[in-house]
Amino acid sequence: MSDLIKDLSELRLNYQKGELHEDQVNPNPHMQFLQWFNHALAAQLHEPYAMSLATANAQGRPHVRTVLLRGATEAGYDFYTNYDSQKGLDLAENPYAELLFYWQEQERQIRISGKVVKISEEESTDYYHKRPRESQIAAHISTPQSGMVASREELQQRFWDLHQQVANQEELDKPGFWGGYRLQPDYYEFWQGRPNRLHDRLSYEKIDGAWKLQRLMP
């Protein structure tokens, strides 16, 4: 255990890759999100569409995990999962959640908060059939998601059993327990790392249907 790091207090970076000014951002936070997101795509960052999703159950116990952004419009931000997963169970009890995008290479972070609703069955089915066939099969056999499984071998066997059963099926039906959610934003925060920990933080809060832009202390 001699290689164990005992003191992390000296580990830090001095951020200096960008600035964030009120007079330079888009007054529409979704458009500002798209601007930063497209920068991340153009820079070929690793999975810039990966985002942390924080939910909490009725007792306020939080859960956070990484999911993939699969749609981004003014109406909201889409992701897909098993409705019986911990995510789904939390959202059934408490429909409010938060997304976090962190692009380390650009020293940028975006938080998006709001109410989460299920997207239409039609949209969920359409996206399901765009997924690779192996991913479609995995959705069928991985249930209840986060449930216990005896071994990796059992999971693999369930996958290959269904793979063989549907080998001659041109199309798989979407399982009823699987589909999409949309976070409808009422709050955004854009963070740009700056030197000396004097980071730029700009928030957009929806008040009476309009977005209010404010600077936050770092």
Side-chain angles (χ1 to χ4, degrees), residues 55-58 63 65 81-95 144-146 181:
T55 59
N57 61 20
H63 302 97
R65 76 290 285 166
T81 189
N82 187 312
Y83 292 142
D84 297 324
S85 65
Q86 186 65 61
K87 300 183 285 296
L89 297 177
D90 282 356
L91 291 169
E93 296 180 352
N94 175 5
Q145 193 179 68
S146 305
Y181 289 95

Side-chain angles (χ1 to χ4, degrees), residues 56 90-97 114-117 182-183:
D90 282 356
L91 291 169
E93 296 180 352
N94 175 5
Y96 292 91
K115 186 175 182 179
V116 180
V117 298
R182 176 169 297 143
L183 185 142

Side-chain angles (χ1 to χ4, degrees), residues 48-208:
Y49 44 85
M51 58 189 184
S52 297
L53 167 68
T55 59
N57 61 20
Q59 290 72 45
R61 187 177 183 91
H63 302 97
V64 65
R65 76 290 285 166
T66 301
V67 297
L68 301 180
L69 177 68
R70 287 308 185 215
T73 67
E74 292 263 13
Y77 300 84
D78 299 349
F79 60 93
Y80 293 82
T81 189
N82 187 312
Y83 292 142
D84 297 324
S85 65
Q86 186 65 61
K87 300 183 285 296
L89 297 177
D90 282 356
L91 291 169
E93 296 180 352
N94 175 5
Y96 292 91
E98 183 161 293
L99 306 175
L100 172 69
F101 294 86
Y102 177 54
W103 299 313
Q104 180 179 356
E105 298 87 344
Q106 297 175 331
E107 299 174 352
R108 286 176 171 174
Q109 174 177 283
I110 305 174
R111 294 171 51 206
I112 308 175
S113 303
K115 186 175 182 179
V116 180
V117 298
K118 285 184 179 179
I119 69 173
S120 70
E121 187 70 9
E122 182 181 6
E123 287 178 278
S124 291
T125 299
D126 181 63
Y127 173 71
Y128 178 80
H129 288 132
K130 291 178 180 177
R131 305 178 84 208
R133 188 172 181 85
E134 289 73 16
S135 297
Q136 295 180 30
I137 293 172
H140 273 275
I141 64 98
S142 182
T143 188
Q145 193 179 68
S146 305
M148 300 298 177
V149 63
S151 65
R152 174 73 187 184
E153 289 73 22
E154 179 181 324
L155 182 64
Q156 288 283 172
Q157 191 60 53
R158 291 177 65 176
F159 179 89
W160 289 115
D161 286 348
L162 183 56
H163 195 284
Q164 292 177 337
Q165 290 174 28
V166 300
N168 296 321
Q169 273 184 239
E170 183 175 343
E171 187 173 88
L172 272 68
D173 291 335
K174 180 188 76 64
F177 53 77
W178 189 96
Y181 289 95
R182 176 169 297 143
L183 185 142
Q184 301 171 322
D186 57 26
Y187 180 86
Y188 291 76
E189 183 188 311
F190 293 82
W191 178 95
Q192 177 72 61
R194 295 294 302 276
N196 304 315
R197 293 299 186 269
L198 298 179
H199 307 308
D200 287 328
R201 293 176 62 193
L202 298 183
S203 72
Y204 295 77
E205 186 173 6
K206 203 167 197 178
I207 301 176
D208 296 329

